Amino acid sequence: MKYYKDQKNNIWAFDDDVDVAIMRLDLIEMTEKEINTMLFVSDEQITVPQSLSRFQAMTVLKLTKLEDGITLYQATDAYINSLDNDSVESITAKTAWETAQEFRRDSTLIQLAGKLFNLTDEQVDKMFFEGAKIKA
């Protein structure tokens, strides 16, 4: 996914294979810093991808390092494997981690991971933006 802005700072997002120059000549490709800092434009939030494929989610987790140097994938995997098999919540989290083909932004597992690793909503949103860029 590539992000562009126009002269009024409206933000446009297109798949990587779209030739934007043909569509609109007044769009300027945004830098990564601009993308990260311009989450709000004219009080309207940029739409965060609402789901990632398993491949995208696992890749972005393996690329995301925590303060102690381990990846978010390693930390999540260790936590999930430490859960008991006695509660519905634990069984659901384990099964989702092991088999889900899609990870939704609003899912219980994503919310749990955010709280567990002290991730802000903005950090999780950024991971979903980055994950959506990853192609197999």
Side-chain angles (χ1 to χ4, degrees):
M1 188 72 67
K2 289 186 180 178
Y3 297 90
Y4 298 83
K5 63 182 179 178
D6 62 21
Q7 294 174 353
K8 295 180 181 178
N9 276 337
N10 293 312
I11 297 174
W12 302 77
F14 298 97
D15 287 333
D16 291 336
D17 59 350
V18 173
D19 187 354
V20 176
I22 294 173
M23 299 171 60
R24 293 181 54 124
L25 297 175
D26 61 335
L27 295 180
I28 302 165
E29 187 168 359
M30 295 173 66
T31 65
E32 187 163 348
K33 182 177 180 181
E34 287 175 311
I35 293 166
N36 292 335
T37 58
M38 294 181 71
L39 290 177
F40 292 91
V41 177
S42 302
D43 297 326
E44 294 181 30
Q45 186 175 7
I46 297 172
T47 303
V48 176
Q50 292 303 297
S51 66
L52 296 176
S53 69
R54 180 172 191 80
F55 165 75
Q56 290 170 319
M58 293 298 145
T59 302
V60 79
L61 290 174
K62 290 177 181 182
L63 293 171
T64 303
K65 299 248 183 191
L66 297 172
E67 290 179 7
D68 59 5
I70 67 169
T71 66
L72 191 51
Y73 174 86
Q74 292 168 312
T76 304
D77 191 55
Y79 175 76
I80 295 290
N81 288 322
S82 74
L83 294 174
D84 61 45
N85 287 319
D86 297 332
S87 69
V88 171
E89 292 81 13
S90 294
I91 292 169
T92 302
K94 282 185 172 187
T95 304
W97 179 249
E98 294 168 357
T99 65
Q101 295 305 302
E102 174 185 67
F103 289 86
R104 295 204 37 86
R105 174 67 180 86
D106 60 355
S107 72
T108 303
L109 185 61
I110 299 300
Q111 301 302 319
L112 172 67
K115 288 179 185 172
L116 183 65
F117 301 113
N118 297 316
L119 301 173
T120 65
D121 284 341
E122 290 79 17
Q123 289 171 310
V124 176
D125 288 347
K126 182 179 177 188
M127 289 172 45
F128 269 73
F129 277 119
E130 294 302 314
K133 295 179 193 177
I134 298 170
K135 306 291 183 213

